[in-house]
């Protein structure tokens, strides 16, 4: 909330709770304002700081806002404070008390006047070097005035006093390692100190357009609507994700028209009904934006190509009904998480990058941004976000990406709104993709596929960001399309729409969040019980968190001999899952026996702790012959365990020697498999071989589409058709499938 505004000529100071901002108006100026490049701008800024005092942020307003905040504003405020002290306290512009000689006094006075009134304001680095030169010169000559007979000792002491004060300035300290490079003809050195965030005046988000100083470029790539460059700095442990959106590199006329169009569209306040179907709302706004922009350019007598109108309308929609630059970042397939900490104006946005881990960015979000987003998320989700409900958990679907969003505010977040976006993959994960990424091995993929076909109950366990939901999605892809699927989620993360596109018979149930539930939503337990009344189906539960665990185990006990029942749960080991289910969620130990398989996936960190990779670390079966504690009574039997030395998930003796009771149970329902572990093993190996063949061909033929859900689903369907026709002859099955595969590969782009 603004507490004071002080207009002064072409500048004003605005003070709020956390910021004191000096706004300088450069509208209509022919120059692009810049402290680092323009001595005039630097001098003018210092003069204004002398008038208004220290500030925390300096903004040059033109068609783009040039924002100097944090240490940059502090450094300029510090310089202005020094100049003020030299003038008012040290009275450096009046040296008559030092000497009244008409010969030497004018020379001294002239130097200090130029130093304070000009050089320190326009070029403090040059002033510092000039001061050093003058001190050395005065000390070398040790002259005595012919007029008054005094020496220059007092003058030298004054210069040394100024020098000592200047040496403490942040500008000087930052430039000190580079002062030998100083060239009075250029201002290159100032660019190492000052690098403003820049945003067009119709946007709120601040983007630092210039590349970070003294940084090594790691890689660069292009997104739709933006360019991304990755950097690393020696003094920063996190890499820098530098994104330059198209809207920050437009022509002046385009900025003007976009600003006018935004003002027009801002008059319309979307209703909750419109946000229920954001895709439709975007389509309407896109059409309106395209027509509005065309009319505005026409009124200015400017002929603009249709492609440009389309680009500008996308930008306009993104900054009216959309989420601004966040949408562009979420389009990046390499982005996994995106976080905005509070207070937003004091923190840069951070991302988790698939190749570089946690990264800083060149983006600073403003309070106006987050206030707008919070309102939109309330409307889209129908869930509350207020002091009584300070957490909102929902999903965000924008062009090119799908994300889970968590919003927090006070009193939980004392410093205001904060956001976390967890980006989901555009297409569902598949087992071949996970094998290629080394999260699984082909054998593990084959084993999990076998469990899915066997209609077993599975819990995917792991810590935060372990890939639980992604792995669960890949297992859903393994379910045959002839089997109906029902999903139960409080936040829609599972790829239901993609599976519908792939012709799956799938029904999604959205239930009340344990954390942020809406009044109109049913609770998760009732959602699961409802699914049981909806006929024979596979049941997939997004995450087991609370009292729905009892209902889930009802479903497991009912569905154990029919179709797959699977879900995710937090836990870093099979016993950790048992402890959470039984002790925290109050499921009876005997009911826990309905769990057949626990798959544990956790991030595996590098020795230095800077990188982590997702890995499945255990595939464990839960036996049924224990009474109270499966750990003490050998109720957990590992079938595959991660070996950190080989970075592989390896089979245990129990699996290799056919001691798995779950596999025997599946085989008992297949006439030709009963009592024949070799037949079971050959079926698992067949699935592993198919997976490996898909991966090898994808790499060899440079066809990544072979690993995606469209092809994997078709390949799985074909494999099962051939298995149905040929029985247990795995060699013949693979040969037939391979012939089909080779034929299909040709048509895949």
């Amino acid at each position: 909330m603004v507490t004071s505004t002080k207009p002064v000529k072409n500048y004003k100071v605005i003070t709020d709770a956390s910021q004191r901002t000096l706004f300088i108006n450069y509208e209509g100026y022919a120059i692009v304002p810049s402290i680092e490049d323009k001595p005039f701008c630097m001098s003018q800024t210092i003069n204004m700081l002398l008038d208004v005092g220290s500030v925390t942020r300096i903004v040059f307003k033109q068609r783009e806002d040039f924002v100097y905040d944090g240490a940059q504003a502090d450094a300029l405020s510090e310089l202005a404070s020094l100049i003020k002290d030299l003038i008012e306290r040290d009275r450096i512009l009046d040296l008559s008390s030092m000497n009244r000689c008409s010969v030497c006094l004018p020379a001294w006075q002239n130097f200090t006047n130029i130093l304070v009134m000009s050089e320190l304001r326009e070029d403090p680095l040059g002033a510092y070097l000039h001061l050093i030169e003058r001190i050395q010169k005065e000390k070398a000559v040790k002259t005595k005035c012919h007029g008054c007979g005094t020496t220059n000792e007092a003058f030298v002491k004054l210069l040394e006093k100024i020098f000592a004060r200047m040496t403490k300035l942040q500008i000087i300290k930052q430039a000190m390692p580079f002062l030998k490079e100083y060239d009075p003809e250029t201002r290159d050195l100032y660019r190492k100190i000052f690098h403003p965030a820049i945003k067009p005046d119709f946007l709120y988000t601040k983007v630092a357009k210039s590349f970070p100083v003294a940084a090594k470029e790691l890689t660069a790539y292009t997104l739709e609507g933006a360019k991304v460059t990755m950097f690393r700095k020696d003094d920063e442990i996190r890499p820098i994700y530098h994104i330059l959106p198209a809207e920050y590199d437009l022509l002046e006329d385009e900025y003007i028209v976009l600003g006018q169009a935004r003002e027009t569209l801002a008059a319309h306040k979307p209703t909750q009904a419109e946000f229920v179907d954001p895709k439709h709302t975007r389509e309407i706004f896109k059409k309106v934006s395209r027509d509005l922009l065309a009319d505005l350019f026409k009124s200015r007598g400017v002929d603009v190509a249709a492609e440009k109108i389309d680009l500008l309308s996308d930008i306009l929609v993104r900054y009216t009904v959309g989420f601004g630059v966040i949408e562009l970042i979420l389009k990046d397939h390499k982005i996994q998480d995106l976080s905005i900490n509070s207070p937003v104006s004091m923190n840069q946005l951070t991302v988790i990058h698939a190749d570089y881990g946690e990264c800083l960015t060149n983006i600073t979000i403003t309070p106006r941004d987050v206030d707008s987003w919070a309102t939109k998320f309330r409307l889209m989700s129908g869930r509350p976000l207020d002091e009584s409900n300070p957490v909102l958990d929902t999903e965000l679907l924008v062009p090119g990406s799908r994300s889970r969003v968590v919003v927090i505010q006070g009193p939980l977040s004392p410093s205001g709104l904060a956001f976390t976006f967890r980006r989901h993959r555009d297409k569902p994960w598949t087992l071949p993709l996970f094998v290629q990424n080394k999260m699984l091995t082909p054998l593990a993929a084959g084993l999990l596929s076998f469990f899915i076909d066997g209609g077993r109950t599975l819990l995917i366990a792991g810590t935060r960001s372990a890939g639980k939901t992604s792995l669960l999605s890949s297992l859903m892809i393994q379910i045959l399309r002839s089997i109906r699927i029902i999903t139960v989620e409080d936040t829609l993360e599972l790829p239901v729409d993609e599976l519908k596109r792939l012709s799956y018979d799938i029904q999604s149930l959205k239930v009340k969040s344990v954390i942020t539930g809406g009044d109109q939503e049913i609770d998760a337990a009732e959602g699961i019980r409802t699914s049981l009344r909806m006929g024979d189906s596979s049941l997939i539960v997004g995450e087991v968190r609370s009292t729905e665990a009892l209902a889930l185990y009802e479903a497991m006990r009912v569905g154990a001999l029919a179709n797959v029942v699977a879900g995710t749960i937090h836990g870093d080991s099979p016993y950790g899952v048992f402890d959470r289910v039984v002790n925290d969620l109050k499921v009876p130990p005997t009911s826990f026996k309905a769990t057949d398989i626990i798959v544990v996936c956790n991030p595996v960190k590098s020795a230095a702790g800077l990188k982590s990779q997702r890995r499945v670390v255990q595939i464990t079966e839960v036996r049924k012959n224990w009474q109270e504690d499966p750990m003490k009574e050998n109720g957990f039997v590992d079938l595959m365990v991660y070996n950190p030395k080989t970075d592989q998930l390896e089979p245990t003796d129990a699996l290799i020697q056919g001691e798995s009771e779950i596999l025997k149970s599946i085989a008992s329902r297949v006439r030709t498999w009963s009592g024949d572990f070799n037949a079971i093993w050959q079926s698992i190996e067949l699935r592993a071989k198919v997976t490996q063949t898909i991966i090898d061909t994808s790499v060899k033929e440079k066809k990544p589409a072979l690993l995606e859900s469209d092809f994997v689903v078709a390949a799985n369907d074909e494999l099962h058709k051939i298995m149905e026709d040929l029985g247990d002859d795995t060699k013949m099955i693979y040969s037939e499938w391979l012939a089909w595969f080779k034929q299909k590969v040709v048509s895949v782009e």
Side-chain angles (χ1 to χ4, degrees):
M1 186 176 95
V2 173
T3 56
S4 69
T5 301
K6 182 181 179 182
V8 186
K9 298 177 183 176
N10 67 329
Y11 60 98
K12 63 181 179 181
V13 173
I14 297 180
T15 304
D16 61 28
S18 60
Q19 295 273 15
R20 189 166 189 264
T21 305
L22 170 63
F23 290 93
I24 306 174
N25 185 14
Y26 280 99
E27 290 281 355
Y29 279 64
I31 65 165
V32 176
S34 167
I35 284 173
E36 59 273 25
D37 294 326
K38 304 289 192 302
F40 163 76
C41 293
M42 189 173 205
S43 177
Q44 189 179 58
T45 302
I46 295 298
N47 290 337
M48 294 171 185
L49 289 171
L50 287 169
D51 180 61
V52 303
S54 296
V55 298
T56 58
R57 184 170 62 178
I58 299 164
V59 179
F60 292 169
K61 294 193 70 65
Q62 209 176 52
R63 283 299 166 191
E64 294 181 309
D65 287 356
F66 300 81
V67 184
Y68 299 88
D69 54 11
Q72 301 175 92
D74 290 344
L76 292 167
S77 295
E78 184 187 45
L79 176 58
S81 179
L82 171 62
I83 293 172
K84 190 172 184 177
D85 280 354
L86 292 175
I87 295 173
E88 296 181 0
R89 190 184 69 187
D90 300 330
R91 303 183 66 82
I92 197 167
L93 302 182
D94 180 13
L95 304 183
S96 58
S97 60
M98 185 185 302
N99 192 322
R100 297 182 182 275
C101 175
S102 61
V103 177
C104 54
L105 182 60
W108 298 352
Q109 198 96 49
N110 184 58
F111 177 82
T112 55
N113 280 348
I114 292 172
L115 182 75
V116 175
M117 300 305 292
S118 177
E119 290 184 340
L120 269 176
R121 302 171 195 231
E122 295 181 355
D123 182 12
L125 300 181
Y128 183 73
L129 294 173
H130 193 188
L131 181 61
I132 293 173
E133 184 183 344
R134 185 60 182 254
I135 291 172
Q136 292 172 343
K137 181 179 177 182
E138 291 289 339
K139 283 184 173 182
V141 295
K142 294 181 179 180
T143 55
K144 185 180 285 188
C145 179
H146 296 294
C148 62
T150 58
T151 67
N152 60 355
E153 235 178 272
F155 182 53
V156 170
K157 285 183 179 179
L158 175 66
L159 297 183
E160 287 179 332
K161 183 178 179 181
I162 298 171
F163 172 77
R165 295 279 305 277
M166 286 189 69
T167 303
K168 296 178 182 179
L169 291 173
Q170 289 300 314
I171 290 177
I172 303 300
K173 287 181 178 179
Q174 291 182 55
M176 193 65 74
F178 313 102
L179 276 178
K180 290 182 180 178
E181 305 171 15
Y182 175 77
D183 182 353
E185 299 299 320
T186 71
R187 292 178 65 86
D188 291 347
L189 197 49
Y190 286 104
R191 295 191 189 99
K192 296 182 182 293
I193 304 170
F194 299 103
H195 29 82
I198 302 173
K199 67 181 184 71
D201 64 358
F202 70 92
L203 306 178
Y204 303 143
T205 304
K206 295 182 294 184
V207 174
K209 288 176 67 175
S210 57
F211 288 164
V213 177
K216 177 185 177 184
E217 182 176 323
L218 301 174
T219 188
Y221 53 93
T222 301
L223 304 175
E224 184 185 347
K227 297 177 182 176
V228 174
T229 310
M230 301 296 304
F231 292 96
R232 187 178 296 280
K233 295 182 71 173
D234 289 340
D235 59 350
E236 176 58 63
I237 196 166
R238 291 174 293 183
I240 298 168
Y241 180 91
H242 185 284
I243 184 169
L244 184 60
E247 53 263 38
Y248 289 79
D249 197 23
L250 300 176
L251 300 176
E252 184 75 5
D253 274 351
E254 294 167 352
Y255 282 136
I256 294 171
V257 170
L258 274 173
Q260 292 172 340
R262 193 179 193 278
E263 288 178 9
T264 301
L265 291 178
H268 175 76
K269 304 296 183 184
T271 64
Q272 182 166 0
E274 287 176 304
F275 273 109
V276 170
D277 189 357
K279 184 178 179 181
H280 181 62
T281 301
R282 281 176 174 269
E283 289 171 354
I284 294 172
F285 267 71
K286 177 71 180 287
K287 185 178 184 304
V288 171
S289 298
R290 195 185 290 114
D291 294 342
L292 178 59
L293 289 166
D295 289 344
L296 287 169
F297 278 115
K298 187 177 180 180
S299 69
R300 296 174 65 86
V302 179
D303 188 24
V304 180
E307 293 81 4
K308 176 63 72 170
I309 292 289
D310 208 51
L311 169 66
L312 295 176
S313 62
D314 283 339
I315 292 171
L316 198 53
V317 170
R318 200 155 56 240
Y319 288 92
T320 49
V321 294
F323 293 83
V325 72
I326 293 295
E327 292 189 10
L328 294 175
I329 298 175
L330 291 174
K331 280 186 179 181
D332 189 344
H333 297 175
K334 293 183 177 293
I335 295 300
Q336 298 171 348
D337 285 8
L338 188 156
S339 299
I340 306 165
N341 294 330
S342 63
V344 294
S345 59
M346 306 294 287
N347 290 289
Q348 288 171 283
L349 182 150
T350 60
V351 297
I352 305 294
H353 194 279
D355 299 335
Y356 298 101
E358 184 171 338
C359 302
L360 293 170
T361 72
N362 60 323
I363 305 292
T364 303
I365 307 299
T366 68
R368 291 184 71 178
D369 278 316
V370 297
D371 287 344
S372 171
W373 297 349
T375 300
K376 290 173 184 175
F377 283 130
R378 281 195 292 265
L379 292 171
M380 291 165 63
S381 67
R383 293 175 174 173
L385 180 65
D386 49 40
E387 288 189 0
S388 302
N389 303 275
V391 182
L392 193 157
D393 193 350
T394 188
E395 58 279 342
L396 173 63
L397 183 63
V398 296
S401 77
R402 188 170 58 91
S403 307
R404 178 176 180 177
V405 184
V406 177
V407 188
I408 60 173
Q409 68 158 56
L412 181 62
S413 173
S415 47
L417 286 161
F419 296 75
T420 297
F421 298 77
R422 175 160 297 173
R423 187 186 186 280
H424 300 304
R425 199 169 183 275
D426 302 333
K427 293 183 178 180
W429 280 94
T430 66
L431 291 180
L433 278 168
F434 277 131
V435 173
Q436 188 189 47
N437 291 347
K438 295 184 177 182
M439 185 169 175
L440 292 169
T441 61
L443 181 63
L447 182 63
L448 292 173
S449 173
F450 192 87
F451 287 142
I452 295 296
D453 279 354
R456 310 316 294 186
T457 61
L458 299 94
L459 285 179
I460 313 299
T463 57
R464 183 182 175 275
S465 298
K468 300 184 297 294
T469 302
S470 299
L471 182 58
L472 181 60
S473 298
S474 74
L475 296 182
M476 291 172 67
I477 295 294
Q478 293 299 122
I479 298 174
L480 292 175
R481 286 186 281 189
S482 58
I483 299 172
R484 190 187 190 201
I485 302 172
I486 297 176
T487 65
V488 179
E489 299 178 272
D490 60 6
T491 300
L492 302 180
E493 295 185 90
L494 296 171
V496 172
D497 288 341
E498 274 296 303
L499 264 67
K500 286 180 178 178
R501 184 185 64 78
L502 293 167
S503 300
Y504 274 84
D505 182 6
I506 186 167
Q507 174 63 52
S508 173
L509 303 182
K510 186 178 181 182
V511 296
K512 183 184 296 185
S513 169
V514 176
I515 304 171
T516 66
D519 294 337
Q520 306 303 313
E521 298 171 315
I522 68 167
D523 64 42
E526 184 57 32
I528 291 173
R529 292 190 179 100
T530 299
S531 74
L532 298 180
R533 296 192 289 269
M534 294 176 69
D536 188 23
S537 306
S538 290
L539 174 62
I540 308 296
V541 180
E543 185 172 348
V544 184
R545 304 195 213 213
S546 186
T547 55
E548 75 274 9
L550 285 167
L552 174 64
Y553 274 88
E554 289 178 26
M556 282 184 171
R557 297 178 78 167
V558 171
L561 298 176
N563 292 313
V564 172
V565 178
T568 70
I569 190 168
H570 282 277
D572 60 359
S573 67
Y575 189 80
V577 173
F578 171 80
D579 184 52
R580 176 148 174 74
V581 169
V582 173
N583 296 324
D584 295 345
L585 305 181
K586 308 304 179 185
V587 172
T590 52
S591 294
F592 182 79
K593 293 180 183 180
T595 310
D596 289 327
I597 300 295
I598 297 173
V599 182
V600 181
C601 44
N602 281 322
V604 176
K605 291 188 175 183
S606 64
L610 296 179
K611 293 183 179 180
S612 66
Q613 296 172 314
R614 293 173 175 175
R615 295 287 187 267
V616 171
V617 295
Q618 280 178 278
I619 299 177
T620 303
E621 75 172 30
V622 182
R623 292 192 171 173
K624 318 304 178 187
N625 58 349
W626 52 274
Q627 299 300 316
E628 296 180 358
D629 190 324
M631 180 64 78
K632 294 179 180 178
E633 300 174 59
N634 299 316
F636 294 132
V637 176
D638 291 331
L639 303 181
M640 298 192 77
V641 176
Y642 176 75
N643 184 342
K645 292 183 178 179
T646 61
D647 192 26
Q648 293 278 323
L649 190 62
E650 298 177 351
T652 63
D653 289 343
L655 177 60
I656 295 172
Q657 295 172 12
E659 297 174 1
S660 167
E661 292 185 0
I662 300 299
L663 291 178
K664 291 176 183 177
S665 175
I666 295 172
S668 69
R669 295 169 16 213
V670 179
R671 180 175 55 82
T672 57
W673 287 356
S674 185
D676 186 0
F677 180 75
N678 188 55
I680 299 171
W681 186 250
Q682 286 178 355
S683 183
I684 294 171
E685 285 189 318
L686 170 65
R687 298 157 194 264
K689 192 173 182 180
V690 165
T691 299
Q692 189 64 65
T693 300
I694 293 173
I695 296 168
D696 291 345
T697 306
S698 171
V699 174
K700 182 181 177 182
E701 301 293 334
K702 297 181 179 179
K703 292 186 174 183
L706 294 176
L707 307 178
E708 299 293 348
S709 55
D710 295 67
F711 189 85
V712 171
V713 168
N716 195 41
D717 281 354
E718 186 63 26
L719 178 65
H720 282 78
K721 289 177 187 175
I722 297 170
M723 289 167 66
E724 187 69 25
D725 291 340
L726 299 182
D728 297 333
D729 190 339
T730 54
K731 289 184 179 179
M732 183 62 71
I733 292 170
Y734 178 74
S735 179
E736 287 282 331
W737 179 88
L738 187 60
W740 170 89
F741 176 73
K742 288 179 178 179
Q743 186 180 8
K744 289 294 181 181
V745 165
V746 177
S747 60
V748 175
E749 298 294 327

